[in-house]
Amino acid sequence: MFDKLTVRDADVRGKRVLVRVDFNVPLSEGSVADDTRVRAALPTLRYLVDHGARVIIVSHLGRPKGEPDPQYSLRPVRRVLARLLGRNVHFVDSVIGPDVTEAVERMVDGELVMLENVRFEPGEKANDPKFAKQLASLAEIYVNDAFGAAHRAHASTTGVADYLPAYAGMLLAREVETLTDMLANPDRPFVAILGGSKVSDKFGVIDRLLDVVDTLVIGGGMCFTLLVAKGLEVGRSLVEDEWVEPAKKMLEKASQVGVELMLPVDFVVADAIVEDAETKVVGRGEIPADMMGLDIGPTSVELFKGVISSAKTVFWNGPMGVFEMTPFEKGTREVAGAVARNNRAVSVVGGGDSVSALRKFDLEERITFVSTGGGASMKLLEGSELPGLEALTDRT
């Protein structure tokens, strides 16, 4: 059970509600290239509007350096949000200051105002108490629905909760409930698939998953550090040398707890990461010294698909190769397809590149739950506290 108060527990009618959302979306030529995160916030925003709240929307976008930068303006996101909500969303070119105060004072029940990128203010990432208090002064209630930023201790994710009654939004609550329930009470067999480039990014997650899964499948660039730990040569493939010894302990733990840890048995290799690369398939101990593994091979694909098809719970985070390029996309496409086709299983996909892959291969609608938070979901799964979650009011 989710142990924080949610927006449904608050009396929001006629109240000014500061809502932290995660509208950190990709932009292309000044337009939103993917509106997934905007759509994810709609249930909370619609609930507030329907219940007569005066909604003040706060988000970050990209990584500006604590000052205004037009390329990171939230204006294009405002247009998408207004279209999806079917109502006007007033935009203010500032985060704090007289123009923001004036816009908020003019609000009526059911109205929405979006502030400019909160990271244009240096006090945001510094979690400066003065800035947090200024931001909080705009509202009477605070709602955090930005799961994708919940692992950041910033002014808009934690600081404002020191000055306002703080509640979870619907998206944040659902994300936390889904991921924690998956670990606590999965239908079995439980198969987790991890990929991506670096084993160091997911070492804590691997350690936690080994305590609960039946099978752990590891592909992508991160698998090569484990193969080196097993004593294999991997050519020029990505290896984190300082993580070889921890990887040995990881392999030992899997054996001790009886979890099958599956690594690729073959690879698609090339001498360069380019769209027109000349590729060949080799066994995992046969990667030439001047080449690198850039996707899992066809035998690995079939092995991975087989274990995925028998699962009752599937968690997937991270591609199997450089799926953005045609020569190296098949492993990720086939694994994603196998997850989508297993209708008997609860399928959960962590954010980041995995979601991009689902979208590329038009599989997103066939997954039980797609997380919006890459880094946040990994932190939650490894058992770390999320500052943005901890700052909210406990359910007593």
Side-chain angles (χ1 to χ4, degrees), residues 83-291:
R83 175 174 55 80
L84 291 173
L85 283 174
R87 60 173 59 229
N88 183 53
V89 178
H90 183 63
F91 189 82
V92 188
D93 288 309
S94 307
V95 183
I96 54 174
D99 52 344
V100 176
T101 302
E102 182 181 346
V104 170
E105 288 177 347
R106 288 200 307 263
M107 294 180 76
V108 297
D109 295 357
E111 191 173 6
L112 303 103
V113 167
M114 180 186 285
L115 308 184
E116 185 53 283
N117 191 336
V118 71
R119 287 191 182 172
F120 285 179
E121 292 289 336
E124 164 64 0
K125 292 180 70 173
N127 195 11
D128 178 62
K130 181 180 177 181
F131 172 65
K133 190 173 184 178
Q134 288 176 292
L135 199 56
S137 70
L138 299 172
E140 298 158 275
I141 293 172
Y142 169 65
V143 173
N144 189 347
D145 208 27
F147 177 71
H151 59 312
R152 308 292 189 194
H154 293 170
S156 68
T157 57
T158 61
V160 294
D162 290 336
Y163 306 100
L164 292 172
Y167 300 86
M170 297 177 189
L171 172 64
L172 188 147
R174 186 177 178 220
E175 292 266 11
V176 173
E177 278 190 303
T178 300
L179 293 171
T180 53
D181 287 353
M182 179 187 73
L183 294 181
N185 190 33
D187 289 335
R188 296 189 181 277
F190 180 9
V191 175
I193 310 132
L194 296 179
S197 59
K198 295 181 178 181
V199 70
S200 58
D201 290 343
K202 295 174 182 173
F203 192 84
V205 175
I206 294 171
D207 187 62
R208 184 92 181 278
L209 287 174
L210 286 174
D211 292 329
V212 294
V213 302
D214 299 294
T215 303
L216 178 60
V217 176
I218 296 182
M222 62 190 294
C223 77
F224 296 110
T225 300
L226 280 85
L227 291 176
V228 170
K230 291 172 72 74
L232 296 171
E233 296 291 331
V234 296
R236 290 173 45 230
S237 305
L238 178 64
V239 175
E240 294 178 278
D241 293 329
E242 67 275 21
W243 285 88
V244 172
E245 288 303 315
K248 290 180 181 178
K249 294 178 181 178
M250 182 192 304
L251 294 167
E252 291 172 4
K253 178 175 179 177
S255 178
Q256 290 169 357
V257 299
V259 170
E260 182 180 14
L261 197 159
M262 295 182 67
L263 295 169
V265 297
D266 60 346
F267 293 96
V268 177
V269 301
D271 61 4
I273 308 174
V274 292
E275 190 67 55
D276 60 351
E278 292 188 16
T279 66
K280 63 179 180 179
V281 175
V282 300
R284 69 182 180 189
E286 304 167 353
I287 300 176
D290 62 344
M291 303 187 86

Side-chain angles (χ1 to χ4, degrees), residues 360-391:
K360 178 178 181 179
F361 304 127
D362 196 24
L363 296 169
E364 196 171 7
E365 297 301 319
R366 298 172 63 184
I367 302 299
T368 307
F369 183 78
V370 179
S371 175
T372 61
S377 58
M378 292 297 99
K379 288 293 183 183
L380 185 65
L381 289 175
E382 71 182 28
S384 298
E385 286 189 352
L386 301 182
L389 178 63
E390 295 304 312

Side-chain angles (χ1 to χ4, degrees), residues 312-330:
K312 291 291 184 67
T313 302
V314 181
F315 173 71
W316 174 41
N317 178 272
M320 298 294 100
V322 187
F323 75 97
E324 298 89 347
M325 295 186 178
T326 305
F328 316 117
E329 73 172 14
K330 183 176 180 181

